[in-house]
Amino acid sequence: MFRLAPTCKGRNISKFLPLLRRHYQLFSAATSSPHFSSYGLENQNEEIDFNSLFDSCTKTLLAKRLHALLVVSGKIQSNFISIRLVNLYASLGDVSLSRGTFDQIQRKDVYTWNSMISAYVRNGHFREAIDCFYQLLLVTKFQADFYTFPPVLKACQTLVDGRKIHCWVFKLGFQWDVFVAASLIHMYSRFGFVGIARSLFDDMPFRDMGSWNAMISGLIQNGNAAQALDVLDEMRLEGINMDSVTVASILPVCAQLGDISTATLIHLYVIKHGLEFELFVSNALINMYAKFGNLGDAQKVFQQMFLRDVVSWNSIIAAYEQNDDPVTARGFFFKMQLNGLEPDLLTLVSLASIAAQSRDYKNSRSVHGFIMRRGWLMEAVVIGNAVMDMYAKLGVIDSAHKVFNLIPVKDVVSWNTLISGYTQNGLASEAIEVYRMMEECREIKLNQGTWVSILAAYAHVGALQQGMRIHGHLIKTNLHLDVFVGTCLIDLYGKCGRLVDAMCLFYQVPRESSVPWNAIISCHGIHGHGEKALKLFREMQDEGVKPDHVTFISLLSACSHSGLVDEGKWFFHLMQEYGIKPSLKHYGCMVDLLGRAGFLEMAYDFIKDMPLHPDASIWGALLGACRIHGNIELGKFASDRLFEVDSENVGYYVLLSNIYANVGKWEGVDKVRSLARERGLKKTPGWSSIEVNRRVDIFYTGNQSHPKCKEIYAELRILTAKMKSLGYIPDYSFVLQDVEEDEKEHILTSHSERLAIAFGIISTPPKSAIRIFKNLRVCGDCHNATKFISRITEREIVVRDSKRFHHFKNGICSCGDYW
């Protein structure tokens, strides 16, 4: 679908051919003729238009021929011509030829040295630029002028170099030159010393437009968005109008602060002063409106542009891609190709995200192939990170890891992407292993994204002690109050069964956005505290925080876990009053809510009335409800629809198989299992984990390999005997194999959650709490057995399964046997 073919660049070349041919012949004559008569040469010089020759040199080979012509014609003796040749070689990317030409100049002046320094800087040869600067000062008799310092300051790669150059500025008396001062502001801002930059700015006796722009952009680069707006206000009070650079700098700040009013006023200013015709101003407007989600306004700006470059197209494509509209984004990409523009790195970054959002595995391979053919994976780490993220979101985590290994120089984003990719795909243990490898890389500095990624992995496996270690580090670095990191800590403690700690953290972090509210509501929902979740939502409304689509997913899920059917229906209608269009996830929550409560026919009617085409999550929710309530007929119908839209998910085969097994229809069980085997699908093995002494032990059903295996099974035999004396009767309907009763009891006893509980009992002090994490749903017999165990051992046993939390204490579960 993505036609990533190179575009034709030679569409209008025919009209330039005569000029190129004449210049080529002239170059050939100049370089191949062994003799020139002075008369002929003089006549030839009169005819040669050197300006045209310079303009037509688009390749190094042509520049060399021009160089030869200048030598034989004697024009090379002119400093002006020589410096022009230095700049020509630099513009073609061959700085060594620039330096060779520079060295041949006999009578160098400060302008000559400045040109060579600028040539180095333009080609990224910063160390050579600074060395050239010191040669000018220490070897020659010339003094640097105010044209020397701006490129040299740009070349400074360390603060030490910057301070040395600053000393020379003072020594030579250029500290108040507006160009030099603006360059110093840029340099200090680049190294994070925005306070020094502000002092220089405040001390300037005269400020031009470049100085104001330097200060504003410096503050923005260092995350001081509010101060940047303050400087803008100062600038306006002094009667200085914004130019296109100011506008392009300040628009992203408005988006960052969520200040749509200021952004709209700036757009009006742009129209009033005719700045909308500036290409990069229009591009900045598109990006700004995209950040606010105002795609209609972004598209209007794009359509009114007389001239569009690759950045313009990338901006409009990214606008729709970042606002979860991959179809429209893909459409703009096709239009971009029809307009003859070739995609660049940033285009491919958006295309990778589009493929992920569309669940389009086929085109994801096309995007990857195009990138590999261009060699971009080796050139820019950003494109490698985008491809990794694409594969991770498509669930192809092995391909994501292969791309990670191919990236030659990995940055912190590369590591964070792989960690979050494993976590998103339910492979938290692998994510934790990658994090450990990352810690060993001394050159990688962990950042906010790292903590967000690894805390999610720890929350997934319930590694509370390891998460608390990270929490301690975050307190030391004062990052625990960051809204995103703090939200992940709330999620960690909530998913590890520590709701009190989660609430304490919730009241510490900033709560102006919906992010922390969504986390704490979700935590209460999975613990079965539906009423508390609803109360938190009312507090959220009272504090003026606008709910988003995630808020309502959390609320509907909370209602589902607590059986609050009427409240769930009310929230489903309320979200539409907030202008939030229900997605498939919201519809899935409603089907789960109705089905779990036993309203199977109502759930089915709800699906039939949906405006969206039901996907696997919708039919899966109905099938799960049919398993709970033993409705074989509707379950078979739901499974047929399910296999039409997703025949590769083994979990759905297991659900249908369990429905048959629960009522003893073993021929149905065999048929479903045979169908899964024919399609090469394997059941996800059930496992449970427990963290003891900072180590996470994982138990699979029937596990016999644990070092304390004998002690575990001995403890289970003792517990089973005590349970039976208190009235426990094994429920063999949860044994999904057609075997004898004694074998059925052994299978129930060796379920992974019971092995983990027994290990916890023999490994922790008496009466201390035990926390278990299970990757699948807790079976009914284990649920009943754990109530007895909590009563016998006088312990609180917290079990988190794939759906929710169960708090067992004194023979009672917090779910009230509703899960």
Side-chain angles (χ1 to χ4, degrees):
M1 188 174 289
F2 296 135
R3 292 177 289 105
L4 295 164
T7 56
C8 178
K9 296 182 178 179
R11 187 175 300 168
N12 299 315
I13 198 168
S14 58
K15 63 183 180 181
F16 297 113
L17 282 174
L19 180 63
L20 289 173
R21 188 178 295 113
R22 185 167 64 251
H23 288 166
Y24 182 83
Q25 290 169 350
L26 182 60
F27 288 179
S28 299
T31 56
S32 61
S33 300
H35 301 289
F36 286 92
S37 67
S38 61
Y39 177 79
L41 186 60
E42 288 171 4
N43 285 345
Q44 193 178 30
N45 288 344
E46 290 175 4
E47 296 174 2
I48 297 173
D49 182 357
F50 283 101
N51 287 328
S52 296
L53 291 178
F54 270 102
D55 292 340
S56 63
C57 287
T58 56
K59 294 182 179 180
T60 305
L61 179 62
L62 293 176
K64 287 180 177 180
R65 287 174 175 164
L66 174 59
H67 192 170
L69 179 60
L70 292 169
V71 170
V72 297
S73 66
K75 293 287 186 180
I76 199 69
Q77 301 301 320
S78 164
N79 270 21
F80 175 76
I81 292 292
S82 294
I83 290 306
R84 195 169 179 186
L85 192 59
V86 168
N87 291 329
L88 174 62
Y89 281 131
S91 68
L92 294 173
D94 199 327
V95 75
S96 61
L97 288 174
S98 291
R99 182 68 198 217
T101 306
F102 170 80
D103 289 338
Q104 294 299 317
I105 299 173
Q106 298 299 318
R107 297 181 301 279
K108 297 181 181 71
D109 55 16
V110 69
Y111 171 72
T112 314
W113 284 93
N114 290 347
S115 298
M116 191 62 240
I117 292 168
S118 297
Y120 277 129
V121 174
R122 289 200 305 272
N123 283 274
H125 294 253
F126 300 128
R127 186 69 257 167
E128 291 86 344
I130 292 174
D131 292 341
C132 193
F133 167 74
Y134 284 122
Q135 286 177 1
L136 165 64
L137 293 177
L138 304 175
V139 177
T140 72
K141 61 182 179 180
F142 303 110
Q143 278 194 350
D145 62 13
F146 51 82
Y147 287 114
T148 312
F149 288 102
V152 172
L153 287 166
K154 185 178 180 180
C156 293
Q157 295 300 288
T158 65
L159 184 62
V160 173
D161 282 336
R163 288 185 181 279
K164 287 179 180 178
I165 305 299
H166 193 175
C167 291
W168 278 102
V169 169
F170 268 108
K171 184 176 180 180
L172 298 175
F174 292 114
Q175 66 269 30
W176 303 132
D177 179 85
V178 289
F179 298 110
V180 176
S183 297
L184 284 167
I185 292 168
H186 271 303
M187 185 270 293
Y188 281 113
S189 299
R190 187 155 45 90
F191 292 117
F193 289 83
V194 72
I196 298 175
R198 185 64 201 253
S199 297
L200 289 168
F201 177 78
D202 291 338
D203 291 341
M204 290 176 70
F206 169 76
R207 303 184 190 114
D208 66 349
M209 197 71 242
S211 308
W212 288 99
N213 287 340
M215 192 67 251
I216 290 170
S217 64
L219 289 165
I220 293 167
Q221 288 168 15
N222 287 275
N224 299 316
Q227 292 182 40
L229 288 177
D230 291 341
V231 173
L232 180 66
D233 289 338
E234 291 178 36
M235 174 179 158
R236 291 161 67 185
L237 286 172
E238 292 195 16
I240 300 173
N241 289 328
M242 293 184 290
D243 65 2
S244 55
V245 176
T246 320
V247 171
S249 299
I250 213 70
L251 282 173
V253 174
C254 298
Q256 182 183 339
L257 296 175
D259 191 350
I260 187 65
S261 300
T262 301
T264 305
L265 289 172
I266 291 174
H267 193 179
L268 291 173
Y269 176 92
V270 165
I271 296 170
K272 182 179 178 181
H273 290 81
L275 296 177
E276 75 269 27
F277 301 110
E278 295 278 357
L279 186 62
F280 60 93
V281 170
S282 294
N283 293 341
L285 284 166
I286 293 169
N287 289 324
M288 179 270 292
Y289 281 121
K291 292 291 189 297
F292 285 114
N294 297 348
L295 297 179
D297 291 328
Q299 189 166 338
K300 283 179 185 176
V301 173
F302 180 78
Q303 289 172 340
Q304 291 169 3
M305 294 173 71
F306 293 109
L307 178 66
R308 303 182 186 115
D309 61 0
V310 174
V311 177
S312 313
W313 287 98
N314 286 347
S315 298
I316 195 66
I317 291 168
Y320 282 94
E321 169 259 312
Q322 291 167 6
N323 284 277
D324 302 322
D325 188 352
V327 175
T328 307
R330 185 188 289 117
F332 274 107
F333 170 67
F334 291 150
K335 290 178 184 177
M336 173 183 174
Q337 288 191 305
L338 290 173
N339 279 267
L341 275 83
E342 193 170 349
D344 65 3
L345 278 170
L346 293 180
T347 319
L348 269 296
V349 169
S350 293
L351 289 181
S353 179
I354 290 168
Q357 289 180 38
S358 306
R359 309 296 300 170
D360 190 346
Y361 181 75
K362 181 180 178 181
N363 276 320
S364 72
R365 306 294 293 182
S366 299
V367 171
H368 189 186
F370 183 83
I371 291 167
M372 294 300 289
R373 288 194 298 274
R374 293 298 179 90
W376 286 347
L377 199 65
M378 302 299 167
E379 290 181 10
V381 67
V382 64
I383 195 70
N385 295 341
V387 175
M388 283 171 56
D389 185 61
M390 173 185 72
Y391 280 129
K393 287 176 178 174
L394 287 170
V396 194
I397 193 64
D398 287 343
S399 294
H401 203 149
K402 287 176 183 176
V403 173
F404 175 81
N405 290 334
L406 287 173
I407 298 174
V409 181
K410 302 168 183 65
D411 62 4
V412 67
V413 178
S414 310
W415 289 93
N416 293 349
T417 303
L418 189 60
I419 293 168
S420 61
Y422 272 118
T423 304
Q424 291 162 10
N425 284 277
L427 300 169
S429 298
E430 289 81 352
I432 293 168
E433 184 59 34
V434 173
Y435 170 69
R436 287 172 182 155
M437 292 167 59
M438 182 183 182
E439 284 186 303
E440 295 173 4
C441 296
R442 301 296 181 189
E443 67 275 12
I444 299 293
K445 186 178 180 181
L446 310 186
N447 65 6
Q448 179 197 53
T450 312
W451 309 126
V452 169
S453 302
I454 193 59
L455 285 171
Y458 285 146
H460 185 79
V461 296
L464 177 62
Q465 294 175 0
Q466 295 180 52
M468 290 173 71
R469 181 172 61 86
I470 299 292
H471 188 185
H473 173 78
L474 293 170
I475 291 172
K476 291 178 183 177
T477 55
N478 205 33
L479 268 175
H480 65 296
L481 298 180
D482 175 87
V483 64
F484 296 106
V485 175
T487 299
C488 286
L489 286 168
I490 293 168
D491 186 63
L492 170 76
Y493 283 103
K495 286 183 177 176
C496 289
R498 302 277 286 266
L499 266 180
V500 174
D501 293 324
M503 283 298 294
C504 289
L505 283 165
F506 171 71
Y507 286 114
Q508 290 177 19
V509 301
R511 297 186 300 280
E512 289 80 13
S513 73
S514 62
V515 176
W517 290 95
N518 294 345
I520 199 67
I521 290 171
S522 176
C523 286
H524 280 85
I526 61 175
H527 281 270
H529 303 320
E531 294 291 351
K532 178 62 177 177
L534 271 57
K535 183 182 177 183
L536 284 165
F537 176 69
R538 289 191 288 271
E539 289 180 24
M540 179 182 181
Q541 288 179 305
D542 292 341
E543 293 195 19
V545 179
K546 185 179 178 180
D548 58 17
H549 69 285
V550 178
T551 313
F552 286 100
I553 290 173
S554 300
L555 286 167
L556 291 172
S557 179
C559 292
S560 178
H561 287 305
S562 300
L564 304 175
V565 177
D566 291 335
E567 291 84 348
K569 290 179 180 178
W570 181 75
F571 280 125
F572 189 76
H573 292 293
L574 179 65
M575 67 180 291
Q576 297 173 69
E577 293 180 17
Y578 275 101
I580 300 171
K581 188 177 179 181
S583 68
L584 284 169
K585 288 184 178 180
H586 298 101
Y587 284 108
C589 287
M590 282 300 296
V591 173
D592 186 63
L593 169 70
L594 296 170
R596 194 185 293 268
F599 300 110
L600 296 177
E601 292 299 328
M602 191 184 296
Y604 177 54
D605 291 338
F606 181 83
I607 294 173
K608 288 192 292 185
D609 294 337
M610 280 173 51
L612 302 176
H613 185 71
D615 68 352
S617 66
I618 304 295
W619 293 115
L622 183 61
L623 180 61
C626 291
R627 186 196 63 79
I628 293 170
H629 298 286
N631 191 323
I632 299 176
E633 185 179 347
L634 186 57
K636 181 65 172 65
F637 176 80
S639 67
D640 289 342
R641 305 289 81 73
L642 193 53
F643 296 154
E644 289 175 3
V645 294
D646 186 2
S647 61
E648 300 299 316
N649 190 324
V650 70
Y652 300 137
Y653 293 86
V654 174
L655 273 176
L656 182 59
S657 173
N658 290 355
I659 292 175
Y660 285 123
N662 286 342
V663 294
K665 289 195 173 185
W666 299 109
E667 68 280 359
V669 173
D670 292 337
K671 185 178 179 180
V672 174
R673 291 179 178 176
S674 296
L675 183 62
R677 281 195 297 270
E678 288 170 8
R679 294 178 176 175
L681 305 177
K682 293 183 179 180
K683 178 186 174 183
T684 303
W687 57 262
S688 299
S689 67
I690 180 172
E691 186 179 19
V692 177
N693 297 325
R694 295 189 179 182
R695 171 178 168 168
V696 177
D697 283 84
I698 297 176
F699 296 88
Y700 290 87
T701 297
N703 189 297
Q704 299 282 339
S705 60
H706 194 275
K708 293 190 175 183
C709 179
K710 289 182 179 180
E711 295 96 317
I712 290 170
Y713 279 100
E715 181 66 26
L716 283 172
R717 284 193 293 271
I718 295 169
L719 287 171
T720 302
K722 291 181 178 180
M723 286 158 51
K724 285 182 177 180
S725 68
L726 294 174
Y728 165 72
I729 300 173
D731 188 346
Y732 297 136
S733 68
F734 292 97
V735 178
L736 305 178
Q737 292 98 337
D738 188 13
V739 294
E740 298 298 326
E741 285 202 1
D742 58 341
E743 181 65 18
K744 287 182 179 181
E745 183 171 340
H746 175 72
I747 290 171
L748 288 175
T749 305
S750 60
H751 276 187
S752 65
E753 53 265 59
R754 290 202 211 183
L755 297 176
I757 290 170
F759 174 72
I761 290 170
I762 65 175
S763 304
T764 58
K767 298 186 179 182
S768 61
I770 297 173
R771 289 180 172 81
I772 307 296
F773 298 85
K774 182 174 172 62
N775 69 325
L776 304 177
R777 189 175 181 270
V778 171
C779 86
D781 186 71
C782 286
H783 188 272
N784 189 34
T786 308
K787 289 194 290 185
F788 280 100
I789 294 172
S790 70
R791 180 180 168 188
I792 292 166
T793 60
E794 298 182 7
R795 291 176 182 255
E796 179 184 7
I797 302 174
V798 182
V799 179
R800 190 189 87 193
D801 66 11
S802 61
K803 296 295 184 182
R804 58 164 296 154
F805 267 91
H806 302 267
H807 293 257
F808 299 92
K809 196 170 183 180
N810 298 324
I812 299 171
C813 180
S814 61
C815 73
D817 295 338
Y818 181 88
W819 86 99

